Amino acid sequence: MVARRVTPERIPLLEREAELHALVSALDDARGGQGRLVAIEGPAGVGKSRLLEEAVREARGSGLDVLRARGGEGERDFPFGIALQLIEPVARATAATRAKLTRGAAAASAALLDGSAWERLGADPSMLFMLVHALYWLTSNLADRRPLLVAVDDIRYADAASLRYLRYLAHRIADLPVALVVALRTGEPLSVREDVLALVRDEHATTLAPSPLGAAAAAAVVRRHMPGATDDFCAACSEATGGNPFLLRELLLTLSADGVTPTGAAAPAVRSMAPESVSRSILVRLARFSPEAVALGRAVAVLGDAVALDEAAAVAQLDRPRATELAAQLARAGVLGADAALSFAHPLLQTAVLADMTPLERSAAHARAARVLHDRGRSVDLVAAHLLRAPAVGEPWAVETLRQAAAHSAGEGTPGAAAERLRRALQEPLGPVARTEIEIALGRAELAAGTRAGAERIEGALRALPARRQAALLLELGQTLHVQERPADAAVAFTRGLALVDGDGEDADLVRELRVSRALAGFWAPDHVPDAAEAVAPLLDEGRAPAGRVDRVALVTIATADLFAGRDREQAIERAWRAWGGAPGSRTRGSATPGSATSWGS
């Protein structure tokens, strides 16, 4: 019996009736105005992406609009990367349509569309919540036009900011005509992040866990590709792949290419193949292509998902016409998808290609990718994701890219990611001034992430700075330590800062803030400031309104200390009133609490 040559067609969608019914039900509910969250979970190759595609096809066929995105391993540190993929249709819309969709509470989402959000994220921590809230309202505005399916594949690789948006949406989805469907790969050594689990384990989520194909379904697939296959041969294929649909497809492609006849005689050899060896057979099949085709495949694997052809060609060091020809070959063989933007037909293909590269090959490819993407003006976060996996490139743009990306991460509320980018910046050749500034920024990020080494890092960088800058940094360090419930360390930092500056001239405000901050730390560290109330009281003019945040905090703290110590209750209330915003002496003793109709004097 001669085996028919197998073409890279899809595995039929078998034994998925329950999952398809649940997805259709979620879409029906969305059409009726009641949103749902559906999470599809399972190991690589079990068919999660296929189910997601079926949901998309069903949604479009039944009148829903679709927003789609897919997480990528190299893009998890790119703030709002998934969100930007989802709102791409809005970015392509006319100016009038964009203005209508970003009206009202959705207005801040326009900053993501025009790119102005990145600078504001670093400068204004509240911008993160504003963008998350605005993305929710943009989704609501889109759903007002037509019910909506929001579909996200490979959610485990989603960035933290986009996950905040998706969780924000999921908590409010019941009142929207929106179905949110996400796919999560499980069963791998890499642990799933807590923010991802917080989304897919939401108490109101519907969880779908497609199982591997049973023996009968696997046999149907084998005979579809290799007519006349014997029962023993079909059973061997099922056992070798564990019923995993993708691995079964790859096994059949390999067996066909090797001319294997689907009879009982071949069953023992097939049965001895473990799923891991089936995965390795992918590399055997890829190796049959030319070295240039392999280079293009590796470039796509390194760059991630939906890769522009010219970028992949540049990383593979090929000219565009040759890359176009090779991409078509890989697509016909079922290695790459058929879309204009290059992606692997399945994530396991990408995983196999990356695993076949040596660490040196991968790092060199990431360095080329970083340079190519930088030269083409791609986002600093995307370029930084490749620099993190590359050796030092020795060029100023790399340092500036990493610093800007770190600022984005800090503004996004992920100081750990900011620290990782700054540590990588320190691997580049740096002058003493630039190195000191990066060390200080890294210390801040480490402190914000709760790492005690951050304080030591800032201490080490202080010696290279003039006295006033040292004092300002010690003030900042002390305030951070105080917030982290280390008041004794904070008081020491404030004391050291005071020793560096005079109380007159341009240093007056800095000295005042250092003194107030040290006194406040003393309430919790009396060994360093024995009588904090007495130390801070002379700094506050009882006859005027507080000058700023520090004065307000000082007034509240002294008022609280007075109350606990049993001192003048009315004076404590007066100080609290002034901190809240009342004018000095404007509160009538014995009157109602601030904000009531009787709490204002003449």
Side-chain angles (χ1 to χ4, degrees), residues 15 73-74 116 153 158 166 184 303 371 397-398 490 520 560 571:
E15 298 183 342
E73 185 172 4
S116 64
D153 203 358
L166 292 173
L184 172 65
L303 284 166
R371 184 172 285 104
W397 63 264
L520 296 181
T560 303
Q571 185 181 57

Side-chain angles (χ1 to χ4, degrees), residues 29-211:
D29 285 348
R31 271 195 302 274
Q34 183 177 358
R36 296 257 303 279
L37 166 62
V38 180
I40 310 172
E41 299 185 27
V46 80
K48 303 179 299 299
S49 298
R50 181 72 182 281
L51 284 169
L52 206 62
E53 288 180 21
E54 289 298 317
V56 169
R57 184 186 62 79
E58 176 67 25
R60 287 175 172 159
S62 57
L64 276 75
D65 278 342
V66 176
L67 303 181
R68 299 187 68 176
R70 178 177 174 182
E73 185 172 4
E75 300 178 27
R76 70 180 78 185
D77 292 330
F78 177 25
F80 291 106
I82 290 293
L84 286 169
Q85 289 185 51
L86 290 172
I87 64 175
E88 189 176 322
V90 181
R92 294 197 305 264
T94 64
T97 299
R98 285 199 305 273
K100 185 176 180 180
L101 290 172
T102 58
R103 69 188 186 276
S109 63
L112 282 175
L113 296 172
D114 64 20
S116 64
W118 311 125
E119 183 176 351
R120 295 172 64 186
L121 267 173
D124 181 5
S126 67
M127 186 65 181
L128 175 61
F129 175 77
M130 290 172 59
L131 289 172
V132 168
H133 184 67
L135 283 168
Y136 164 77
W137 280 104
L138 175 61
T139 307
S140 178
N141 290 343
L142 284 164
D144 282 344
R145 303 193 313 171
R146 196 173 295 113
L148 195 63
L149 167 64
V150 179
V152 184
D153 203 358
D154 275 338
I155 192 70
R156 73 179 299 161
Y157 296 126
D159 60 279
S162 294
L163 279 166
R164 291 191 184 194
Y165 151 60
L166 292 173
R167 288 174 61 190
Y168 195 84
L169 172 62
H171 292 163
R172 296 157 178 80
I173 201 168
D175 297 325
L176 296 177
V178 177
L180 172 58
V181 183
V182 301
L184 172 65
R185 189 196 304 190
T186 59
E188 296 184 0
L190 180 65
S191 60
V192 180
R193 300 185 342 245
E194 290 185 6
D195 52 356
V196 176
L197 291 176
L199 174 65
V200 300
R201 299 285 191 268
D202 185 280
E203 60 179 331
H204 300 298
T206 299
T207 302
L208 307 180
S211 302

Side-chain angles (χ1 to χ4, degrees), residues 187-531:
E188 296 184 0
L190 180 65
S191 60
V192 180
R193 300 185 342 245
E194 290 185 6
D195 52 356
V196 176
L197 291 176
L199 174 65
V200 300
R201 299 285 191 268
D202 185 280
E203 60 179 331
H204 300 298
T206 299
T207 302
L208 307 180
S211 302
L213 298 177
V221 172
V222 173
R223 291 192 173 106
R224 177 185 176 94
H225 289 282
M226 305 180 80
T230 64
D231 290 345
D232 198 21
F233 183 86
C234 292
C237 290
S238 177
E239 292 170 21
T241 60
N244 183 291
F246 176 77
L247 292 179
L248 181 59
R249 171 184 180 272
E250 289 301 313
L251 175 63
L252 294 172
L253 287 168
T254 300
L255 295 175
S256 176
D258 291 343
V260 173
T261 302
T263 63
V270 173
R271 189 172 276 110
S272 66
M273 299 175 69
E276 293 79 9
S277 63
V278 176
S279 294
R280 287 194 294 272
S281 72
I282 296 170
L283 298 174
V284 174
R285 187 156 58 88
L286 288 174
R288 293 171 180 152
F289 291 93
S290 68
E292 289 179 322
V294 172
L296 182 64
R298 288 181 167 186
V300 175
V302 166
L303 284 166
D305 195 45
V307 179
L309 177 63
D310 63 328
E311 293 174 354
V315 173
Q317 299 174 305
L318 301 168
D319 60 48
R320 185 182 175 92
R322 179 60 174 156
T324 302
E325 177 186 345
L326 294 170
Q329 290 179 16
L330 293 170
R332 285 194 295 271
V335 176
L336 297 180
D339 296 334
L342 305 183
S343 300
F344 281 91
H346 193 278
L348 275 178
L349 286 167
Q350 180 183 16
T351 300
V353 171
L354 289 173
D356 190 49
M357 299 172 70
T358 68
L360 285 176
E361 288 173 331
R362 284 197 300 272
S363 63
H366 280 295
R368 291 196 301 274
R371 184 172 285 104
V372 166
L373 295 173
H374 171 264
D375 291 347
R376 283 163 172 72
R378 300 295 295 276
S379 76
V380 293
D381 296 284
L382 184 57
V383 177
H386 291 284
L387 287 172
L388 287 172
R389 295 164 175 80
V393 299
E395 297 181 24
W397 63 264
V399 176
E400 185 57 27
T401 295
L402 289 162
R403 292 181 70 171
Q404 290 183 30
H408 292 175
S409 293
E412 186 192 14
T414 53
E420 182 184 20
R421 292 168 173 186
L422 291 167
R423 290 190 196 100
R424 171 62 184 81
L426 289 173
Q427 297 174 15
E428 296 289 333
L430 295 166
V433 175
R435 182 168 295 277
T436 297
E437 292 299 330
I438 292 175
E439 288 279 6
I440 291 170
L442 175 54
R444 286 172 173 149
E446 289 174 336
L447 274 174
T451 304
R452 296 182 73 92
E456 297 173 7
R457 190 180 297 277
I458 291 176
E459 291 276 4
L462 284 174
R463 292 186 293 271
L465 300 173
R468 190 174 194 283
R469 180 81 190 282
Q470 288 188 49
L473 273 173
L474 286 166
L475 171 63
E476 179 184 333
L477 174 61
Q479 290 172 338
T480 302
L481 293 171
H482 198 174
V483 170
Q484 294 180 347
E485 299 183 357
R486 297 167 61 184
D489 293 336
V492 170
F494 297 136
T495 300
R496 289 176 56 205
L498 283 167
L500 293 168
V501 286
D502 297 323
D504 300 324
E506 64 178 357
D507 294 340
D509 290 341
L510 176 58
V511 168
R512 177 182 179 80
E513 189 160 7
L514 281 163
R515 286 178 176 169
V516 171
S517 298
R518 182 178 65 172
L520 296 181
F523 283 110
W524 289 268
D527 290 343
H528 293 269
V529 185
D531 194 332

